[in-house]
Amino acid sequence: MGTLLLGIFIIVSLVNLLYFFSFFSFATTNTKSKLHPEVAVSVIICAKNESENLKNFLPAILEQDYPDFEVIVINDASTDDTLDVIEEFQKIDPRIQVVDVQNNEAFWANKKYALTLGIKKARNKHLLFTDADCAPQSKNWISEMSRNFQPGNSIVLGYGGYFQHTGSILNKLIRFETLLTAIQYFSYAKLGSPYMGVGRNLAYTSTQFYEMKGFASHLHLRSGDDDLFVNEASTADNTSICFHPDSITRSVPKNSFSDWFHQKRRHVSVAGHYKTKHKVLLGSFYIFRVLFWVLFALLLIFEIQPQIVLGILGLKLVTEAFVYIKAGRKLKENDVVWLFPFFDLFLIFMQMAIFIANLISKPKHWK
């Protein structure tokens, strides 16, 4: 029995290592200079009750060092003074275009409906999306993201991180989980199987949007305007990744575990609508992580070849550390990678709790 258990543990460990070997494709990739296509860009921001965030972060968009761009700011049926704030900015900068969305019975509180109106308003073919609580970390954000609209590329996946709060373990956990997610979607895109992007930093062409009939296939779902669209539209040939330091955006993280937990519930519920191959890929990654730690604990409890078991753990941790350190440097998340063994275990239990919670009740969606 002990030999069988050890054999299963070795197989599970090899699968875990295989996943992280696949992540090397992103972790070891260097940023390459690309010719600038000099395309006109429409930056699109959807704002619902975001007056304060717009005051804080919209100036960083307007200060971009790029020759030809407009900013479409969508007031998505806000109940605060969001519309007033947008209109005040418009008086100062004519590059701002306002879309004022009123709730209606068919599309009540549906962000995809609001985004569709914003896309229709855009005068440019190349669209760059971010959120109202996001700020580009460089004046070259538009420039770096738009560089990736090379011939044949209609979708660009960027990195949307979170601001650092010194001394907060929750902040480090949120940023680590965001880093792990980015490692996955960047790596799989590099390997020719793009499956998601984040609306905090995402670009695609209006041509691609209209070819997919917009969000029609998942309009009934309140979330997924970013990852479900990418999951459906992206291919190995039309998708590019952008992780240049100047292309990064950062947004305001949740400041309570409860709020973050509910946010992750929404994200996980949407993932159930991914293509089957991606659900299998992501589901297997989680299952084999769980199996590793369960088998690891059993083998140590029953004292079955502890030296071999600990040696395998060491190999696993060294491999993962290499990936996290390399990726953390690329995406400017160096301070969170050293806690990865603890965060990894915590996220396993949290994902299990999310799965159970979503079985019991559906999560709430777009504000």
Side-chain angles (χ1 to χ4, degrees), residues 112-340:
K112 294 172 188 174
Y113 171 64
L115 281 172
T116 299
L117 296 182
I119 292 169
K120 289 182 176 181
K121 177 79 170 181
R123 63 177 173 83
N124 299 317
K125 171 184 174 182
H126 297 86
L127 314 174
L128 178 54
F129 298 85
T130 190
D131 287 342
D133 65 347
C134 287
Q137 299 303 284
S138 161
K139 291 185 178 181
N140 299 317
W141 169 59
I142 297 178
S143 178
E144 291 300 331
M145 287 293 287
S146 65
R147 282 183 196 276
N148 289 272
F149 280 123
Q150 300 292 318
N153 288 344
S154 58
I155 299 174
V156 184
L157 310 180
Y159 179 64
Y162 289 97
F163 291 114
Q164 178 180 353
H165 293 170
T166 305
S168 169
I169 292 297
L170 175 62
N171 178 262
K172 283 184 168 59
L173 177 62
I174 291 173
R175 290 166 51 228
F176 174 80
E177 191 272 338
T178 304
L179 173 66
L180 175 57
T181 301
I183 290 171
Q184 289 179 280
Y185 71 73
F186 279 143
S187 295
Y188 296 147
K190 281 283 293 179
L191 293 171
S193 187
Y195 75 92
M196 70 162 284
V198 293
R200 300 185 301 275
N201 198 2
L202 173 66
Y204 50 80
T205 64
S206 58
T207 302
Q208 183 71 70
F209 180 78
Y210 292 122
E211 283 180 359
M212 303 306 299
K213 296 182 173 59
F215 307 119
S217 65
H218 48 89
L219 191 61
H220 61 290
L221 302 171
R222 294 292 178 89
S223 298
D225 54 275
D226 46 9
D227 54 346
L228 286 184
F229 179 82
V230 172
N231 192 261
E232 183 180 26
S234 286
T235 68
D237 299 321
N238 72 1
T239 303
S240 176
I241 65 174
C242 183
F243 53 90
H244 190 283
D246 285 354
S247 72
I248 293 173
T249 66
R250 297 202 183 275
S251 60
V252 179
K254 301 297 183 184
N255 55 22
S256 76
F257 180 81
S258 175
D259 288 343
W260 182 56
F261 184 81
H262 288 299
Q263 181 186 57
K264 299 314 298 180
R265 283 187 63 191
R266 294 196 299 271
H267 295 167
V268 170
S269 68
V270 169
H273 298 275
Y274 287 178
K275 293 174 183 174
T276 300
K277 65 178 180 179
H278 296 135
K279 287 192 288 187
V280 170
L281 192 67
L282 297 170
S284 298
F285 177 64
Y286 173 72
I287 290 169
F288 278 97
R289 287 165 76 202
V290 172
L291 286 175
F292 176 87
W293 290 110
V294 170
L295 291 168
F296 174 79
L298 289 174
L299 289 167
L300 287 188
I301 290 171
F302 293 108
E303 299 183 349
I304 301 170
Q305 300 291 344
Q307 291 181 329
I308 295 176
V309 172
L310 291 173
I312 291 174
L313 173 64
L315 177 61
K316 177 179 181 292
L317 293 178
V318 168
T319 303
E320 293 178 359
F322 175 83
V323 171
Y324 285 129
I325 291 171
K326 296 286 284 184
R329 287 175 180 169
K330 291 181 189 299
L331 302 177
K332 306 301 180 185
E333 304 287 10
N334 307 52
D335 64 307
V336 304
V337 300
W338 305 106
L339 294 170
F340 79 87

Side-chain angles (χ1 to χ4, degrees), residues 26-91:
F26 165 65
T28 57
T29 299
N30 294 320
T31 302
K32 296 180 180 179
S33 297
K34 296 180 180 179
L35 294 175
H36 203 300
E38 292 293 342
V39 296
V41 173
S42 292
V43 177
I44 299 182
I45 303 168
C46 194
K48 188 177 185 69
N49 298 327
E50 296 279 11
S51 60
E52 290 305 313
N53 282 325
L54 287 172
K55 292 175 186 176
N56 292 331
F57 302 123
L58 190 52
I61 305 291
L62 300 175
E63 292 167 2
Q64 288 294 296
D65 184 12
Y66 196 76
D68 188 1
F69 74 97
E70 66 173 354
V71 183
I72 309 292
V73 188
I74 308 162
N75 172 45
D76 187 11
S78 298
T79 56
D80 67 357
D81 60 341
T82 290
L83 180 59
D84 294 334
V85 170
I86 299 171
E87 290 176 341
E88 285 301 312
F89 272 107
Q90 187 182 39
K91 292 176 184 178

